[in-house]
Amino acid sequence: MVIEKKHIFNLMDTNGRRSDVLNALKVYLEILEELKSEFPTESWNTYPNSNAQFLFYEKALEKSKDVFKKHDKYDTFMEELGEYYENFLNKDSDWIRRNLPEMAKILDEAIEKRARHYTSNLVKMGFTDSRRSITEAGHSYLKGSLNRDAIEEFLPLDNVNIALFRQLSKLRIFSTPDTDGNRQFYSPFLMALVLLLDNKSIGRESFEIIVQGLSPYSDESLKSAICQNTVSITELETSIQNIPIKVPGELMGKADIDFELFKTHFKSSKNTDSTSKKYYNFFVALKNFRANQNVENYAALTDCFDTDSALLYKAFGYGKSVFDMGTKTNRYDLKTFLLKNKNHPLLVSQDYVHDIYITFMKSKWIDGIREYSDTTVRLLSATGLFKFKNLPQLSYEDILAIIFDVSTLRNSIFGEMTEEQYCAYERQEDFFFGKNSSISEIFRYSDDEIRRIITNIESHLGVTNSKDIKTRLQDKKNTEFLRHIKDKYPKDKIIKLLPLFSDRKKDSQIKREVNDATTIPTIYEYIIGIAWYYISNEDFDLYDSLNLTLNADFEPVIHAGGGDGDIVISYDDMTVMLEVTLMNKQAQKRGEWEPVLRHSLNLKAANEPKETITFFIADELDYNTVNIWRAVAAASLESTNTHQPVDGVVIMPFTNREILNFLKKGIARTRIIEEVKKSFEKVPQITDSKWHEDILSALSRP
């Protein structure tokens, strides 16, 4: 990824950035894969050269209805197309000549440009090339399938975690070429690792400012100090905050400026007059207070913060309170305010316009770092390695300290590449960043180094082989996971959460309670898994049963995929699968019948002769769906994986309300299963498996 000087890198484009980062990447990859299959001749180009960008945006709206709720310009465009939709897709030359000039601006700015923005995030992660062709790394992330090396094999991370771990390890933020044609680079992932492996106690705010605020353009002396480990956290943070600011000439020496001049230099990210006016109101109120520190001017100043505190904190306070003024409901009186803020730079500076401009620019710089760090932190957490529940810390810190030599990492945070090396890294065909390279390959570990790492970990854990390493680490993770469930999701909380899923207006509340970095269906699957854990009297391995990728704080981020059911539970005497959906009655027929039946058949075939039952859990149930599940128990069917016959598949539907009732009344899973089995045993089997051939045979007779 290349950034310009004085820019902050971001891993998800502002236009279309969403909280469910992992799901967004997967959905966009799915769309590109579908487009490649459905329209193999369409390149990633603008209309009329290609339909690809239009079709991508169309599919993105369809697959992310909860995210992209307003798309007025697209709707207007589609209304204008009307019956000529096919003419448009077929690039009818007459239609283009008559209509495209008038519609081109909406198509370009409101549709195709958005498609380019959304998919640029895939390019930034190395999941596609610049032409939006999915790379090896992208396929691994999309399918949740990869070949692990000897180090990755024992880490208790799923394949999605590993895929992200690999890509972030390779991520480089590049400068533009210098006069010699070379590019500087910065590795934010390595910086994050070093910060936490150094065992320094660091707050989340400082962690974010450092990881996000450094760049390939950082001062050479600062880079050297980081590599030599001679700079403190405070010094690092201060250095990033104190960026050099050039004050515009027309502001120099001014004691006051009018609004028209002010708004050209004090700009918000959205750059609206209304926001600039709020900034200016504060500018004037503070100027008046500096000139005459009386009660009236103090009241005008506090009124600015009472009205627009969040906006002003970002613009002039580095995200914090600009002044110590007490609370909104209990402001200091004038005398106390002056005492508390005696030497505040904005009150004592001699060159007010000059200094408030510098404050504004530095504050907006830090605000930009914080804004972009949101996505970076979500991705770091999704590797399963970085915890952010309390202070930032590493999962398996002791193991990572053996896998990685901190001094070696530190010396790899910054570097330089020739233009040729840069192109091979992330530009040319078959580029390194897009390859499905393992951790050993990325860090260039020899076979001897891998053996040494494994031996040192075995010694550290007191085990004798790598298989035992994996078991020991997995046991530790399971213990921590169950502690998390007990602490954050006790039975009473699950009982409170479940009814919220029946009202989509409660989605934001659910995300606040669980994890706003994922989708509501993913959270529902997670909560149902925990509910069934309590219904089962905690008698199965919950962590192993969930087909979800969890972040390092054990919160769900994405469905792991792989073609398996949502939750597969292995009891001693039987296997139970929970298929979970929030699809409404109408959508269930279209979206659930085939996959639920396929998963159930394949599970039963794979577990024979062990008994299997599937529970289909939805907020509401379609009448036909309920009876279809009953009917399939009578039929002789076939596994789609092995094509072996499968008889008596049991799929029992339950509503969200019924699961909640089981929890409240303490109805155990053993009783539920007993009653379900009793009922399904009454279903008569269809023994005439050749009925189809018999009909055809009868019809073929004269």
Side-chain angles (χ1 to χ4, degrees):
M1 180 196 313
V2 178
I3 62 169
E4 300 289 332
K5 199 168 186 177
K6 296 184 180 179
H7 283 213
I8 304 163
F9 78 89
N10 69 87
L11 298 180
M12 184 160 276
D13 200 288
T14 306
N15 190 337
R17 187 165 68 240
R18 37 198 285 193
S19 61
D20 60 328
V21 177
L22 280 295
N23 183 64
L25 294 174
K26 187 173 182 180
V27 168
Y28 297 159
L29 284 170
E30 285 174 352
I31 295 172
L32 291 177
E33 187 177 52
E34 289 173 12
L35 291 178
K36 187 69 175 176
S37 174
E38 296 169 19
F39 307 95
T41 61
E42 295 285 348
S43 62
W44 185 258
N45 209 333
T46 56
Y47 192 85
N49 298 306
S50 173
N51 290 327
Q53 294 178 14
F54 170 82
L55 292 168
F56 177 91
Y57 186 71
E58 192 172 50
K59 284 177 177 282
L61 296 187
E62 177 62 29
K63 288 176 179 281
S64 301
K65 291 178 179 177
D66 291 343
V67 177
F68 303 124
K69 296 178 181 178
K70 289 192 68 177
H71 29 76
D72 296 340
K73 291 183 179 179
Y74 166 80
D75 294 340
T76 300
F77 183 83
M78 294 303 289
E79 287 173 13
E80 290 286 330
L81 278 182
E83 62 181 305
Y84 297 105
Y85 179 76
E86 292 299 326
N87 298 72
F88 168 76
L89 288 186
N90 292 331
K91 303 168 194 168
D92 182 280
S93 57
D94 289 337
W95 183 89
I96 291 173
R97 180 172 45 78
R98 290 195 311 269
N99 300 284
L100 191 58
E102 296 178 12
M103 304 175 73
K105 187 175 181 181
I106 293 180
L107 177 61
D108 174 51
E109 295 184 1
I111 299 174
E112 292 182 326
K113 189 175 181 180
R114 290 180 182 273
R116 294 192 294 274
H117 278 307
Y118 300 168
T119 53
S120 70
N121 308 317
L122 300 173
V123 180
K124 290 176 182 180
M125 287 299 295
F127 289 151
T128 72
D129 61 21
S130 59
R131 299 180 301 277
R132 295 348 186 233
S133 293
I134 302 176
T135 61
E136 289 179 4
H139 280 295
S140 285
Y141 179 77
L142 176 60
K143 305 300 182 185
S145 174
L146 47 79
N147 294 319
R148 298 184 181 226
D149 66 20
I151 291 174
E152 294 167 339
E153 184 60 37
F154 60 69
L155 288 173
L157 305 172
D158 74 13
N159 285 346
V160 172
N161 295 139
I162 293 288
L164 291 168
F165 182 12
R166 290 178 175 185
Q167 289 310 102
L168 290 175
S169 295
K170 290 186 287 181
L171 177 67
R172 302 285 183 269
I173 312 301
F174 289 95
S175 69
T176 54
D178 60 22
T179 53
D180 296 323
N182 296 328
R183 293 179 186 262
Q184 304 299 311
F185 69 78
Y186 162 60
S187 171
F189 182 79
L190 298 190
M191 186 71 234
L193 267 179
V194 167
L195 279 175
L196 301 186
L197 281 173
D198 270 339
N199 253 336
K200 293 171 179 170
S201 179
I202 180 171
R204 177 163 173 172
E205 183 177 305
S206 297
F207 177 88
E208 291 179 5
I209 287 174
I210 292 169
V211 172
Q212 196 75 37
L214 290 169
S215 85
Y217 300 102
S218 294
D219 185 81
E220 290 301 321
S221 61
L222 182 63
K223 291 181 182 179
S224 178
I226 290 171
C227 293
Q228 296 172 26
N229 198 23
T230 57
V231 60
S232 70
I233 296 297
T234 302
E235 290 168 335
L236 253 179
E237 195 173 353
T238 301
S239 176
I240 292 166
Q241 288 178 333
N242 290 333
I243 57 169
I245 303 294
K246 184 178 180 180
V247 180
E250 53 192 343
L251 298 183
M252 297 292 287
K254 294 285 182 71
D256 192 13
I257 52 177
D258 62 22
F259 178 65
E260 290 305 312
L261 179 58
F262 180 92
K263 73 178 182 179
T264 63
H265 296 291
F266 291 76
K267 299 177 182 178
S268 68
S269 56
K270 294 183 179 179
N271 199 27
T272 61
D273 271 7
S274 62
T275 301
S276 294
K277 190 65 178 175
K278 292 173 181 178
Y279 292 161
Y280 189 67
N281 290 342
F282 167 70
F283 169 83
V284 172
L286 181 56
K287 177 178 67 71
N288 292 339
F289 181 74
R290 283 164 50 94
N292 189 350
Q293 296 178 346
N294 59 29
V295 173
E296 290 76 18
N297 286 341
Y298 178 55
L301 184 63
T302 58
D303 185 57
C304 289
F305 289 103
D306 289 344
T307 308
D308 299 303
S309 59
L311 185 78
L312 298 178
Y313 289 176
K314 287 184 177 183
F316 299 97
Y318 303 93
K320 301 175 183 177
S321 178
V322 181
F323 299 108
D324 185 357
M325 308 179 80
T327 65
K328 187 173 182 178
T329 55
N330 187 23
R331 293 293 188 202
Y332 294 146
D333 59 27
L334 176 59
K335 183 178 180 181
T336 305
F337 172 80
L338 291 172
L339 184 64
K340 293 279 188 180
N341 298 275
K342 184 177 181 181
N343 295 311
H344 195 288
L346 290 180
L347 292 177
V348 301
S349 64
Q350 297 301 305
D351 194 341
Y352 175 56
V353 173
H354 175 281
D355 290 349
I356 200 169
Y357 177 79
I358 289 177
T359 298
F360 174 79
M361 294 304 292
K362 287 184 176 181
S363 185
K364 295 297 283 185
W365 169 257
I366 294 301
D367 180 56
I369 287 173
R370 289 200 180 104
E371 180 182 358
Y372 291 137
S373 70
D374 178 73
T375 298
T376 303
V377 164
R378 291 177 194 272
L379 287 167
L380 288 174
S381 180
T383 64
L385 299 177
F386 290 81
K387 298 180 179 180
F388 294 98
K389 187 176 181 179
N390 300 307
L391 290 177
Q393 63 181 120
L394 288 169
S395 299
Y396 327 110
E397 182 182 331
D398 53 340
I399 304 302
L400 293 174
I402 297 172
I403 295 173
F404 299 112
D405 176 70
V406 183
S407 60
T408 302
L409 289 181
R410 194 180 289 113
N411 282 289
S412 303
I413 293 169
F414 298 100
E416 182 179 85
M417 285 187 188
T418 65
E419 187 67 11
E420 183 181 4
Q421 289 172 324
Y422 160 70
C423 289
Y425 198 86
E426 69 171 28
R427 283 293 179 201
Q428 68 189 32
E429 192 172 343
D430 202 29
F431 60 104
F432 178 70
F433 191 38
K435 283 190 166 296
N436 201 5
S437 309
S438 70
I439 292 301
S440 297
E441 292 169 330
I442 293 165
F443 291 96
R444 299 178 183 178
Y445 289 155
S446 66
D447 290 343
D448 286 343
E449 286 175 310
I450 293 171
R451 280 192 289 270
R452 176 185 55 77
I453 288 169
I454 292 174
T455 299
N456 289 343
I457 293 174
E458 288 171 356
S459 176
H460 173 72
L461 294 177
V463 299
T464 56
N465 58 65
S466 56
K467 185 178 179 182
D468 289 340
I469 294 176
K470 184 175 183 178
T471 301
R472 181 68 62 86
L473 294 178
Q474 191 66 55
D475 288 346
K476 181 175 182 290
K477 185 168 188 174
N478 285 346
T479 300
E480 292 176 355
F481 173 66
L482 290 179
R483 188 183 305 125
H484 172 73
I485 295 301
K486 290 289 186 182
D487 290 346
K488 186 173 178 182
Y489 300 105
K491 182 178 176 180
D492 287 347
K493 183 168 183 179
I494 298 300
I495 288 173
K496 290 178 181 177
L497 283 173
L498 278 175
L500 302 181
F501 292 96
S502 299
D503 182 358
R504 296 311 299 264
K505 293 178 182 177
K506 304 287 187 182
D507 284 3
S508 58
Q509 181 181 345
I510 294 170
K511 287 195 170 195
R512 286 195 302 272
E513 294 278 353
V514 183
N515 182 22
D516 71 345
T518 190
T519 63
I520 293 299
T522 301
I523 295 175
Y524 185 54
E525 189 176 322
Y526 182 68
I527 296 301
I528 286 292
I530 299 171
W532 195 262
Y533 182 66
Y534 290 127
I535 288 170
S536 296
N537 294 317
E538 305 173 18
D539 65 348
F540 68 88
D541 186 337
L542 176 59
Y543 182 85
D544 192 53
S545 301
L546 295 170
N547 190 25
L548 294 170
T549 292
L550 307 181
N551 64 22
D553 291 308
F554 299 116
E555 299 296 355
V557 288
I558 194 171
H559 183 81
D564 296 325
D566 294 338
I567 302 165
V568 180
I569 303 163
S570 181
Y571 297 107
D572 291 337
D573 59 336
M574 71 183 314
T575 300
V576 167
M577 179 165 66
L578 308 181
E579 289 281 37
V580 183
T581 185
L582 282 174
M583 286 186 180
N584 60 32
K585 293 179 180 180
Q586 291 71 32
Q588 283 173 25
K589 304 170 192 176
R590 184 175 62 254
E592 296 291 350
W593 283 11
E594 189 279 330
V596 170
L597 182 56
R598 171 166 43 87
H599 292 159
S600 300
L601 291 171
N602 292 337
L603 182 72
K604 187 168 176 61
N607 281 270
E608 292 280 352
K610 195 175 181 181
E611 191 172 12
T612 63
I613 290 181
T614 295
F615 292 106
F616 177 74
I617 300 168
D619 184 58
E620 57 179 9
L621 290 169
D622 167 63
Y623 179 81
N624 288 346
T625 301
V626 171
N627 288 299
I628 285 290
W629 295 150
R630 182 70 167 184
V632 297
S636 179
L637 301 169
E638 189 180 77
S639 162
T640 62
N641 285 345
T642 62
H643 302 292
Q644 70 187 76
V646 178
D647 295 326
V649 64
V650 175
I651 305 174
M652 175 65 199
F654 285 127
T655 64
N656 186 50
R657 190 179 299 106
E658 287 156 354
I659 295 295
L660 180 61
N661 191 48
F662 297 155
L663 269 179
K664 286 181 174 179
K665 293 188 174 180
I667 301 174
R669 67 99 180 169
T670 49
R671 185 180 164 198
I672 296 168
I673 290 172
E674 180 185 353
E675 293 299 329
V676 170
K677 285 170 63 176
K678 247 195 275 186
S679 175
F680 273 81
E681 283 169 359
K682 300 174 185 176
V683 177
Q685 289 293 301
I686 300 173
T687 57
D688 183 5
S689 60
K690 294 186 177 181
W691 60 269
H692 184 255
E693 290 89 340
D694 290 343
I695 293 173
L696 292 176
S697 177
L699 291 172
S700 66
R701 290 196 294 269

